[in-house]
Amino acid sequence: MTVRDLSISLPRQRRVLSVLVFAAVLIWIDTTILGIALERIADPRTGLGATPGQLQWAVGSYALLFATALFAAGALGDRYGHRTILVLGLFCFGAASVWAAWAGDATGLILARGLMGLGGAMMMPTSMAIIGATFPPERRPETIAAWAASSGIGVALGPLLGGVLVDHFWWGSVFLVNLPVAGLALIGILSVVPNPKLAQRRRPDPIGLLLSTAGLALLAYGLIEAGQDTDWTRTRVWAPALAGLALLAVFTVFEWRSAEPSFDPRLFRNGRFSAGNIALGALFFAITGQMFYGNFYLQGARGMNALDTGLAFLPGALGVAFGSLLGARLVRRFGVALVSGGGLLVVSAAFLTNLAFGLHTPLVYFCMVGFASGTAMGMAISPTSAAVIAALPLDRMGAGSAVNNTVRQVGSVLGIALLGTILTSTYRDRIAPALNALPPAARDAASPSAEHTRAVADALHRPDLADAANNAFITAMHTTAASAAVAAFLGGVLLVLAFRARRSTATSAHPEPALVASS
């Protein structure tokens, strides 16, 4: 594939990359910074008193819109210019951040987070397309690697910034950090970034967008609702889940028959493409669930402040960055099966060690396991992503490059929905005996989550009830960690089986479209 823009000099290429990396940091900061604020948002005394289901939606609505809008963003960028859509995405992200910061209730926060996900979806594929139009093929791999490295920066900064802001201001301040980053990124983009378009423009896919969004939303709703009712036989639990699966099936058939699909399911006939994407989806499924319960474990059950919690997560974030660099080197010698497949198996083992974590486990063990797990994640994500992208059709720079990111976000949506439901339902089962003696009003107020139970315990001056809440949460965390470990293990086995025969050296035979870059 050949994409050239002779009007862009080497110094300007470097400036373009710097601006795109800076803008990408915004997405990755927001991916992790909210987790630090969840405990405060859930507390009826200091936040919104959000239920576990509402918190799942606050996390999941971002991933949901991010996942389903990626295809449309890529197609719109091909038609109207990728810089144009990137700028609109930044505006959307910034405006939604203001809304989220001052949301008066959980519903407002959920809607704002969804709008932020939409803005993020407009930024991701357009940045990749701009890189493809700006850099020659021989420099493109190292450029994409440098751009992807921004994830390590953002993942590391998110918990630290969130900890400082939550401890010194209010929970909504974690969203305001997005504003200066978005403002500076906008100035840089408008100053140096070109506006590439496809010479042969693809049609938008509104039907596919509607089917995929509705299907995934209904499936997530059913799974989250199960955690609130702890009864899978209720119609409002299984009916939305089945309806969501049906819509996703219709979406797959529709895209299969489309002459210009935004998401081409026929790509999954390639065994390694399928295995790599499923494994990455399983990994992000597990990661999202682990991040969800990890914050409540440290801040809620162990009583740590937000900044200390952010510092406890730092080794894991540094491990991801280190593992990404290490994995890129090792995979050339040992292949995807050993490096990435083995990495996922290590992640699974790390999740299993969470079963040994209790209320008084030395924090150094948490940090050590976090670093090992993060390193293994980095070794799994980068090489697998490269192998998967190699199987994508290269004539779809915008929407085609979004497939891999979409699978990750779908994994995140399902992870927060299903693993969050396992956490919530297990907690409610364990705490129920301790709440039976309470008056009905107090019992109802205490039952949604450990945060609500502790608030009632504080109001009633019942330290024994707070202890019961902490112990019930630890049990729920162990059950959720074991479930996440199973998902990571299956993903690792799949990678090993799919890539064990030979190293992934697949290259695409699809011709590259002509991209027209305009300043």
mmCIF file of all heavy atoms in Angstrom, residues 118-134:
data_model
loop_
_atom_site.group_PDB
_atom_site.id
_atom_site.type_symbol
_atom_site.label_atom_id
_atom_site.label_comp_id
_atom_site.label_asym_id
_atom_site.label_seq_id
_atom_site.Cartn_x
_atom_site.Cartn_y
_atom_site.Cartn_z
ATOM 1 N N LEU A 118 -18.666 9.277 22.265
ATOM 2 C CA LEU A 118 -18.869 9.657 20.875
ATOM 3 C C LEU A 118 -17.718 10.533 20.383
ATOM 4 O O LEU A 118 -17.207 10.356 19.271
ATOM 5 C CB LEU A 118 -20.206 10.391 20.732
ATOM 6 C CG LEU A 118 -20.558 10.904 19.336
ATOM 7 C CD1 LEU A 118 -20.679 9.750 18.356
ATOM 8 C CD2 LEU A 118 -21.859 11.712 19.385
ATOM 9 N N GLY A 119 -17.293 11.485 21.216
ATOM 10 C CA GLY A 119 -16.165 12.327 20.841
ATOM 11 C C GLY A 119 -14.889 11.529 20.682
ATOM 12 O O GLY A 119 -14.108 11.742 19.737
ATOM 13 N N GLY A 120 -14.658 10.567 21.590
ATOM 14 C CA GLY A 120 -13.475 9.724 21.484
ATOM 15 C C GLY A 120 -13.482 8.890 20.221
ATOM 16 O O GLY A 120 -12.437 8.685 19.580
ATOM 17 N N ALA A 121 -14.672 8.391 19.841
ATOM 18 C CA ALA A 121 -14.785 7.591 18.618
ATOM 19 C C ALA A 121 -14.452 8.414 17.382
ATOM 20 O O ALA A 121 -13.924 7.882 16.395
ATOM 21 C CB ALA A 121 -16.204 7.034 18.510
ATOM 22 N N MET A 122 -14.742 9.696 17.407
ATOM 23 C CA MET A 122 -14.431 10.562 16.270
ATOM 24 C C MET A 122 -12.937 10.873 16.191
ATOM 25 O O MET A 122 -12.427 11.231 15.128
ATOM 26 C CB MET A 122 -15.241 11.854 16.371
ATOM 27 C CG MET A 122 -16.742 11.644 16.306
ATOM 28 S SD MET A 122 -17.690 13.117 16.754
ATOM 29 C CE MET A 122 -17.446 14.124 15.293
ATOM 30 N N MET A 123 -12.226 10.694 17.291
ATOM 31 C CA MET A 123 -10.801 11.015 17.317
ATOM 32 C C MET A 123 -9.907 9.837 16.936
ATOM 33 O O MET A 123 -8.867 10.021 16.303
ATOM 34 C CB MET A 123 -10.418 11.507 18.720
ATOM 35 C CG MET A 123 -11.080 12.811 19.123
ATOM 36 S SD MET A 123 -10.990 13.119 20.912
ATOM 37 C CE MET A 123 -9.226 13.172 21.159
ATOM 38 N N MET A 124 -10.304 8.623 17.293
ATOM 39 C CA MET A 124 -9.415 7.473 17.132
ATOM 40 C C MET A 124 -9.142 7.100 15.677
ATOM 41 O O MET A 124 -7.989 7.118 15.222
ATOM 42 C CB MET A 124 -9.991 6.276 17.898
ATOM 43 C CG MET A 124 -9.116 5.045 17.880
ATOM 44 S SD MET A 124 -7.647 5.207 18.907
ATOM 45 C CE MET A 124 -8.350 5.047 20.548
ATOM 46 N N PRO A 125 -10.149 6.751 14.860
ATOM 47 C CA PRO A 125 -9.845 6.333 13.482
ATOM 48 C C PRO A 125 -9.342 7.472 12.612
ATOM 49 O O PRO A 125 -8.568 7.239 11.675
ATOM 50 C CB PRO A 125 -11.188 5.788 12.978
ATOM 51 C CG PRO A 125 -12.212 6.490 13.800
ATOM 52 C CD PRO A 125 -11.589 6.690 15.152
ATOM 53 N N THR A 126 -9.767 8.695 12.907
ATOM 54 C CA THR A 126 -9.299 9.815 12.102
ATOM 55 C C THR A 126 -7.807 10.064 12.317
ATOM 56 O O THR A 126 -7.087 10.410 11.376
ATOM 57 C CB THR A 126 -10.098 11.084 12.446
ATOM 58 O OG1 THR A 126 -10.083 11.288 13.869
ATOM 59 C CG2 THR A 126 -11.541 10.957 12.001
ATOM 60 N N SER A 127 -7.339 9.880 13.543
ATOM 61 C CA SER A 127 -5.903 10.030 13.801
ATOM 62 C C SER A 127 -5.094 8.988 13.027
ATOM 63 O O SER A 127 -4.055 9.292 12.435
ATOM 64 C CB SER A 127 -5.616 9.891 15.306
ATOM 65 O OG SER A 127 -6.229 10.925 16.041
ATOM 66 N N MET A 128 -5.579 7.744 13.012
ATOM 67 C CA MET A 128 -4.899 6.694 12.265
ATOM 68 C C MET A 128 -4.865 7.010 10.780
ATOM 69 O O MET A 128 -3.852 6.794 10.098
ATOM 70 C CB MET A 128 -5.604 5.354 12.500
ATOM 71 C CG MET A 128 -5.432 4.791 13.892
ATOM 72 S SD MET A 128 -3.774 4.156 14.171
ATOM 73 C CE MET A 128 -3.807 2.705 13.147
ATOM 74 N N ALA A 129 -5.963 7.530 10.253
ATOM 75 C CA ALA A 129 -6.021 7.854 8.833
ATOM 76 C C ALA A 129 -5.075 9.002 8.486
ATOM 77 O O ALA A 129 -4.452 9.004 7.421
ATOM 78 C CB ALA A 129 -7.458 8.207 8.444
ATOM 79 N N ILE A 130 -4.976 9.980 9.379
ATOM 80 C CA ILE A 130 -4.056 11.103 9.136
ATOM 81 C C ILE A 130 -2.621 10.610 9.117
ATOM 82 O O ILE A 130 -1.809 11.043 8.285
ATOM 83 C CB ILE A 130 -4.263 12.197 10.209
ATOM 84 C CG1 ILE A 130 -5.619 12.879 10.002
ATOM 85 C CG2 ILE A 130 -3.136 13.228 10.160
ATOM 86 C CD1 ILE A 130 -6.037 13.773 11.148
ATOM 87 N N ILE A 131 -2.284 9.693 10.015
ATOM 88 C CA ILE A 131 -0.947 9.107 10.009
ATOM 89 C C ILE A 131 -0.693 8.401 8.682
ATOM 90 O O ILE A 131 0.375 8.520 8.082
ATOM 91 C CB ILE A 131 -0.787 8.142 11.191
ATOM 92 C CG1 ILE A 131 -0.710 8.918 12.506
ATOM 93 C CG2 ILE A 131 0.470 7.276 11.022
ATOM 94 C CD1 ILE A 131 -0.695 8.047 13.741
ATOM 95 N N GLY A 132 -1.691 7.653 8.197
ATOM 96 C CA GLY A 132 -1.534 6.946 6.941
ATOM 97 C C GLY A 132 -1.322 7.872 5.761
ATOM 98 O O GLY A 132 -0.582 7.540 4.828
ATOM 99 N N ALA A 133 -1.949 9.045 5.793
ATOM 100 C CA ALA A 133 -1.806 9.989 4.688
ATOM 101 C C ALA A 133 -0.545 10.828 4.799
ATOM 102 O O ALA A 133 -0.032 11.323 3.792
ATOM 103 C CB ALA A 133 -3.028 10.906 4.640
ATOM 104 N N THR A 134 -0.040 10.988 5.996
ATOM 105 C CA THR A 134 1.077 11.900 6.228
ATOM 106 C C THR A 134 2.431 11.208 6.122
ATOM 107 O O THR A 134 3.400 11.818 5.658
ATOM 108 C CB THR A 134 0.946 12.535 7.629
ATOM 109 O OG1 THR A 134 -0.339 13.168 7.738
ATOM 110 C CG2 THR A 134 2.026 13.563 7.869
#
